[in-house]
Amino acid sequence: MNKFYYLKNKFFFEKNFIILIPFLFIFSRFFLEISLIYLTISALINIFKNKEFDYLNNNFFKIFTFFYIVILLCYFLKKENFSDESIFFYLRYALYVISIFYFLTKIINLDQLFFSSIKISILLLFFDATLQYLVGKNLFGYLPPASNRMASFFNDEAIMGSFVFHFFPFIILQEIEKKRYFQIILFAVISGYLILLSGERSSLGLFLILIIISLIAFNHLIGLKKIILVFL
């Protein structure tokens, strides 16, 4: 009984933090950062404790570390061209990705819960951004940053389009596995609509490129997955 309770509640906080990532990204960047730091520390402890070094010894981490070192060298060689010392902390983004991937592979059905969380967050933005567009303010009373740009819960940050673009590929990855093509089309339409409302041209351009390439590669499932992973 105690063993069952332990297994059921192992990684309890990690599981819930990952499920909440899309919502923390929208509503609290501070708590998102705290959650990601906790996930990273927990993942690294387990990786070293269980000697699962394959999670760190992969091409993604090697390539990211290489470019991180290049950026640091550029900083020290041409320091007058850099005004932001936050580049010293860029490596944490690679650790965030590895920690999330670690728990997605360790916790049963967490990937499904995470993908469902993304869908709900996009639908929430859909209703709130539409309300902001029609009424002039969202559920929290936030006004749009410009007459032709809706930001929903992001208020004056105006990054709704970027958020949708970066999370939408996860939906494609989930739905192509289950061959639920209607949901891919549905969320593609909703995501495109939100990006248009956001007025972010760069996100719109990248989104259209993703859609076009995905359509071309749709008959080759393995190739499509690789392409989508590039956009994540």
PDB file of all heavy atoms in Angstrom, residues 105-116:
ATOM      1  N   THR A 105       8.862  11.839 -20.067  1.00  0.00           N
ATOM      2  CA  THR A 105       9.168  10.424 -20.317  1.00  0.00           C
ATOM      3  C   THR A 105       9.049   9.575 -19.053  1.00  0.00           C
ATOM      4  O   THR A 105       8.975   8.354 -19.141  1.00  0.00           O
ATOM      5  CB  THR A 105      10.597  10.268 -20.883  1.00  0.00           C
ATOM      6  OG1 THR A 105      11.547  10.800 -19.934  1.00  0.00           O
ATOM      7  CG2 THR A 105      10.734  10.997 -22.204  1.00  0.00           C
ATOM      8  N   LYS A 106       9.016  10.221 -17.901  1.00  0.00           N
ATOM      9  CA  LYS A 106       8.987   9.478 -16.640  1.00  0.00           C
ATOM     10  C   LYS A 106       7.596   9.342 -16.038  1.00  0.00           C
ATOM     11  O   LYS A 106       7.307   8.377 -15.336  1.00  0.00           O
ATOM     12  CB  LYS A 106       9.907  10.158 -15.612  1.00  0.00           C
ATOM     13  CG  LYS A 106      11.386  10.075 -15.935  1.00  0.00           C
ATOM     14  CD  LYS A 106      11.888   8.646 -15.855  1.00  0.00           C
ATOM     15  CE  LYS A 106      13.377   8.563 -16.157  1.00  0.00           C
ATOM     16  NZ  LYS A 106      13.864   7.171 -16.084  1.00  0.00           N
ATOM     17  N   ILE A 107       6.743  10.312 -16.284  1.00  0.00           N
ATOM     18  CA  ILE A 107       5.418  10.329 -15.652  1.00  0.00           C
ATOM     19  C   ILE A 107       4.366   9.858 -16.655  1.00  0.00           C
ATOM     20  O   ILE A 107       4.226  10.438 -17.738  1.00  0.00           O
ATOM     21  CB  ILE A 107       5.070  11.740 -15.137  1.00  0.00           C
ATOM     22  CG1 ILE A 107       6.150  12.230 -14.164  1.00  0.00           C
ATOM     23  CG2 ILE A 107       3.703  11.745 -14.460  1.00  0.00           C
ATOM     24  CD1 ILE A 107       5.965  13.660 -13.707  1.00  0.00           C
ATOM     25  N   ILE A 108       3.631   8.837 -16.301  1.00  0.00           N
ATOM     26  CA  ILE A 108       2.638   8.239 -17.194  1.00  0.00           C
ATOM     27  C   ILE A 108       1.542   9.250 -17.538  1.00  0.00           C
ATOM     28  O   ILE A 108       0.996   9.921 -16.659  1.00  0.00           O
ATOM     29  CB  ILE A 108       2.015   6.993 -16.545  1.00  0.00           C
ATOM     30  CG1 ILE A 108       3.100   5.936 -16.297  1.00  0.00           C
ATOM     31  CG2 ILE A 108       0.912   6.402 -17.427  1.00  0.00           C
ATOM     32  CD1 ILE A 108       2.597   4.729 -15.538  1.00  0.00           C
ATOM     33  N   ASN A 109       1.254   9.362 -18.832  1.00  0.00           N
ATOM     34  CA  ASN A 109       0.173  10.207 -19.366  1.00  0.00           C
ATOM     35  C   ASN A 109       0.407  11.709 -19.160  1.00  0.00           C
ATOM     36  O   ASN A 109      -0.495  12.506 -19.449  1.00  0.00           O
ATOM     37  CB  ASN A 109      -1.186   9.834 -18.739  1.00  0.00           C
ATOM     38  CG  ASN A 109      -1.635   8.444 -19.140  1.00  0.00           C
ATOM     39  OD1 ASN A 109      -1.354   7.984 -20.247  1.00  0.00           O
ATOM     40  ND2 ASN A 109      -2.311   7.752 -18.239  1.00  0.00           N
ATOM     41  N   LEU A 110       1.594  12.089 -18.707  1.00  0.00           N
ATOM     42  CA  LEU A 110       1.848  13.518 -18.514  1.00  0.00           C
ATOM     43  C   LEU A 110       1.844  14.256 -19.842  1.00  0.00           C
ATOM     44  O   LEU A 110       1.386  15.401 -19.918  1.00  0.00           O
ATOM     45  CB  LEU A 110       3.188  13.732 -17.801  1.00  0.00           C
ATOM     46  CG  LEU A 110       3.590  15.192 -17.574  1.00  0.00           C
ATOM     47  CD1 LEU A 110       2.519  15.932 -16.766  1.00  0.00           C
ATOM     48  CD2 LEU A 110       4.941  15.278 -16.874  1.00  0.00           C
ATOM     49  N   ASP A 111       2.326  13.608 -20.900  1.00  0.00           N
ATOM     50  CA  ASP A 111       2.346  14.266 -22.207  1.00  0.00           C
ATOM     51  C   ASP A 111       0.932  14.608 -22.664  1.00  0.00           C
ATOM     52  O   ASP A 111       0.682  15.694 -23.198  1.00  0.00           O
ATOM     53  CB  ASP A 111       3.043  13.387 -23.240  1.00  0.00           C
ATOM     54  CG  ASP A 111       2.442  12.000 -23.350  1.00  0.00           C
ATOM     55  OD1 ASP A 111       1.731  11.576 -22.423  1.00  0.00           O
ATOM     56  OD2 ASP A 111       2.676  11.347 -24.383  1.00  0.00           O
ATOM     57  N   GLN A 112      -0.028  13.701 -22.413  1.00  0.00           N
ATOM     58  CA  GLN A 112      -1.415  13.965 -22.789  1.00  0.00           C
ATOM     59  C   GLN A 112      -2.005  15.114 -21.979  1.00  0.00           C
ATOM     60  O   GLN A 112      -2.728  15.966 -22.512  1.00  0.00           O
ATOM     61  CB  GLN A 112      -2.259  12.700 -22.597  1.00  0.00           C
ATOM     62  CG  GLN A 112      -1.767  11.496 -23.382  1.00  0.00           C
ATOM     63  CD  GLN A 112      -1.724  11.756 -24.875  1.00  0.00           C
ATOM     64  OE1 GLN A 112      -2.639  12.351 -25.441  1.00  0.00           O
ATOM     65  NE2 GLN A 112      -0.655  11.320 -25.524  1.00  0.00           N
ATOM     66  N   LEU A 113      -1.685  15.141 -20.693  1.00  0.00           N
ATOM     67  CA  LEU A 113      -2.182  16.216 -19.833  1.00  0.00           C
ATOM     68  C   LEU A 113      -1.567  17.556 -20.228  1.00  0.00           C
ATOM     69  O   LEU A 113      -2.241  18.591 -20.222  1.00  0.00           O
ATOM     70  CB  LEU A 113      -1.860  15.901 -18.367  1.00  0.00           C
ATOM     71  CG  LEU A 113      -2.587  14.691 -17.769  1.00  0.00           C
ATOM     72  CD1 LEU A 113      -2.013  14.356 -16.400  1.00  0.00           C
ATOM     73  CD2 LEU A 113      -4.079  14.972 -17.653  1.00  0.00           C
ATOM     74  N   PHE A 114      -0.296  17.530 -20.593  1.00  0.00           N
ATOM     75  CA  PHE A 114       0.400  18.751 -21.011  1.00  0.00           C
ATOM     76  C   PHE A 114      -0.195  19.283 -22.305  1.00  0.00           C
ATOM     77  O   PHE A 114      -0.461  20.489 -22.434  1.00  0.00           O
ATOM     78  CB  PHE A 114       1.887  18.449 -21.180  1.00  0.00           C
ATOM     79  CG  PHE A 114       2.700  19.622 -21.650  1.00  0.00           C
ATOM     80  CD1 PHE A 114       2.751  20.798 -20.917  1.00  0.00           C
ATOM     81  CD2 PHE A 114       3.421  19.549 -22.837  1.00  0.00           C
ATOM     82  CE1 PHE A 114       3.504  21.879 -21.349  1.00  0.00           C
ATOM     83  CE2 PHE A 114       4.176  20.623 -23.273  1.00  0.00           C
ATOM     84  CZ  PHE A 114       4.213  21.787 -22.531  1.00  0.00           C
ATOM     85  N   PHE A 115      -0.442  18.401 -23.262  1.00  0.00           N
ATOM     86  CA  PHE A 115      -1.032  18.814 -24.533  1.00  0.00           C
ATOM     87  C   PHE A 115      -2.451  19.350 -24.330  1.00  0.00           C
ATOM     88  O   PHE A 115      -2.853  20.325 -24.973  1.00  0.00           O
ATOM     89  CB  PHE A 115      -1.052  17.649 -25.512  1.00  0.00           C
ATOM     90  CG  PHE A 115       0.316  17.202 -25.951  1.00  0.00           C
ATOM     91  CD1 PHE A 115       0.600  15.867 -26.146  1.00  0.00           C
ATOM     92  CD2 PHE A 115       1.325  18.130 -26.157  1.00  0.00           C
ATOM     93  CE1 PHE A 115       1.864  15.453 -26.545  1.00  0.00           C
ATOM     94  CE2 PHE A 115       2.594  17.728 -26.555  1.00  0.00           C
ATOM     95  CZ  PHE A 115       2.866  16.386 -26.753  1.00  0.00           C
ATOM     96  N   SER A 116      -3.209  18.711 -23.440  1.00  0.00           N
ATOM     97  CA  SER A 116      -4.568  19.191 -23.142  1.00  0.00           C
ATOM     98  C   SER A 116      -4.518  20.577 -22.510  1.00  0.00           C
ATOM     99  O   SER A 116      -5.368  21.431 -22.787  1.00  0.00           O
ATOM    100  CB  SER A 116      -5.280  18.210 -22.201  1.00  0.00           C
ATOM    101  OG  SER A 116      -5.450  16.954 -22.825  1.00  0.00           O
TER     102      SER A 116
END
